[in-house]
Amino acid sequence: MNSLGGIRSWPANWRSTTALMTTTESVRKIPQVLTVAGSDSGAGAGIQADLKVCAARGVYCASVITAVTAQNTRGVQSVHLLPPEFVSEQLKSVLSDFDFDVVKTGMLPSTEIVEVLLQNLSDFPVRALVVDPVMVSTSGHVLAGSSILSIFRERLLPIADIITPNVKEASALLGGVRIETVSDMRSAAKLLHEMGPRFVLVKGGDLPDSSDSVDVYFDGKEFHELRSPRVATRNTHGTGCTLASCIAAELAKGSSMLSAVKVAKRFVDNALDYSKDIAIGSGMQGPFDHFFGLKKDPQSSRCSIFNPDDLFLYAVTDSRMNRKWNRSIVDAVKAAIEGGATIIQLREKEAETREFLEEAKACVDICRSHGVSLLINDRIDIALACNADGVHVGQSDMPVDLVRSLLGPDKIIGVSCKTPEQAHQAWKDGADYIGSGGVFPTNTKANNRTIGLDGLKEVCEASKLPVVAIGGIGISNADSVMQIDAPNLKGVAVVSALFDQDCVLTQAKKLHKTLKDSKREI
Ligand SMILES: Cc1ncc(COP(=O)(O)OP(=O)(O)O)c(N)n1
Ligand SMILES: Cc1nc(C(=O)O)sc1CCOP(=O)(O)O
Ligand SMILES: [Mg+2]
């Protein structure tokens, strides 16, 4: 935050105070978010959704109520604004007492209420501000009229770390411009960024005629299009509040902005998917279940924040190759990510534990700041110690069900499988994906049995989990792998094609392009 005196130039490795607590301190502080929003009597959106999201993500959430709505699954029947002085009392009460990592705003129904918010944030600076510029309810009820627009544009947006408008809100903030395509969303994100927020996420859930839900993220330099398949459900009430609160919760835990946004989008997708058949209320817009993570049957497809599309270009490091080319693991990982790697595995077979742990920690920071997951090969201890996103294990490593019990439900677990039986077992044991190979002969792994494209296809057909192909894959043959006609084959994992090369960045870019071209052909 800028003029309010909090952190403005948020470094890539920003961590909440909670993440910085040392073990020598006797008290345990948990990440804290403050939501400033309206109450929804139906509890699908607003304050009630914010509290549920934060609880589901392991973050404490305090609440300042700006308005009380009489609302259910049929719509908003009436709205009662709280007096600005009383909103100010609530703000003073909690801001003077708690040490919030992040403040998230939702329904700010009057200029006077925005004024008191700004005054309190100036009196009690906070580390980060997430602004969800709520204007209209899902059912179409106006929750903040156009009189609010100028104070949003001139005073609130400039101090926000991220704003999360949907296309209607983005259009209103920009004076009514038409936003009908992803290209329009990109232009809108750029114009909104010029109003001062550090990051902009324009949500495209309401765009007509798209089978995917596409959100556009802009950091002032680069655009990211975050896509996910649309979930067919009536239970979508509260998605906007949920997304913004989840971003706030992840930031409070120490995530980078991109990583927080990706986690939040997956959280919403998973919640919608889990709740698509539930029936609460008789109206058209039902709420969804934020606590799906606690309820999912472990024998069925586990709900986690893992996105199978991240397997697209899977870079696996190799200590011997790094030594040969005189590069550190950190430099190798940075170059791979810059070239388009979508997930990283540290496969450091010869590293000493102490040194490996330090390097793994540095790689976790780099990967988090880019929103890319980092897995550790074989070493559950290292994965736990550096708080990696998960591990990859083989058939002779620690059994997957034991790995799952050690790492918990949120971590990503990959397992190597050469046969349909192994693929079935991996699913039963709670893995998230399987790595299948060697598709072609390789010099990187000694005595590795080659299963060929036919063997890969057989494993894919038997697997209920997403699959990444591995073994002897590079620019010249990646296309033949991606063309085997298996919908759950999500990408290729490569070692030498990236790391036994003079320039990791160039090779990663080339391989990424090859994979994109083959995806277009499928
Ligand atoms: C993505 C991916 N797939 C397979 C492997 C091989 O794992 P494993 O069989 O345990 O062999 P090592 O890598 O430990 O030699 C992998 N690492 N990654
Ligand atoms: C680590 C690994 N696992 C394999 C398997 O078949 O499970 S093949 C392999 C090595 C892959 O290296 P490259 O991309 O250099 O061929
Ligand atoms: Mg192994």
Side-chain angles (χ1 to χ4, degrees), residues 365-376:
D365 284 345
I366 290 159
C367 288
R368 294 256 150 91
S369 69
H370 288 86
V372 168
S373 296
L374 179 99
L375 310 192
I376 305 288

Side-chain angles (χ1 to χ4, degrees), residues 347 349 377-378 392-397 416 445:
R347 182 175 178 270
K349 294 286 185 188
N377 176 278
D378 294 351
H392 186 95
V393 289
Q395 294 295 324
S396 50
D397 298 320
S416 309
K445 184 171 162 65

Side-chain angles (χ1 to χ4, degrees), residues 311 314 316 345 347 349 375 377-378 392-397 414-418 433-437 444-446 448 468-471 492-495:
L311 298 172
Y314 189 148
V316 182
Q345 179 189 138
R347 182 175 178 270
K349 294 286 185 188
L375 310 192
N377 176 278
D378 294 351
H392 186 95
V393 289
Q395 294 295 324
S396 50
D397 298 320
V415 58
S416 309
C417 298
K418 289 186 187 293
Y433 75 89
I434 65 175
S436 191
T444 305
K445 184 171 162 65
N448 190 46
V468 62
I470 189 165
V492 298
V494 294
V495 185

Side-chain angles (χ1 to χ4, degrees), residues 176-226:
V177 296
R178 288 166 80 89
I179 304 176
E180 287 168 350
T181 63
V182 173
S183 163
D184 295 341
M185 287 167 69
R186 289 167 82 103
S187 310
K190 199 157 188 283
L191 289 170
L192 288 168
H193 188 266
E194 284 165 14
M195 293 181 180
R198 286 171 41 71
F199 300 90
V200 176
L201 181 73
V202 179
K203 300 173 295 191
D206 296 335
L207 269 198
D209 302 331
S210 64
S211 57
D212 278 356
S213 139
V214 185
D215 297 341
V216 169
Y217 173 88
F218 184 57
D219 62 13
K221 283 195 195 122
E222 275 186 71
F223 289 97
H224 295 256
E225 282 175 21
L226 308 173

Side-chain angles (χ1 to χ4, degrees), residues 32 56 83 89 201 235 287 299 315 340 407 444 474:
Q32 294 171 31
E89 288 300 316
L201 181 73
N235 299 325
Q299 292 302 314
L407 293 190
T444 305

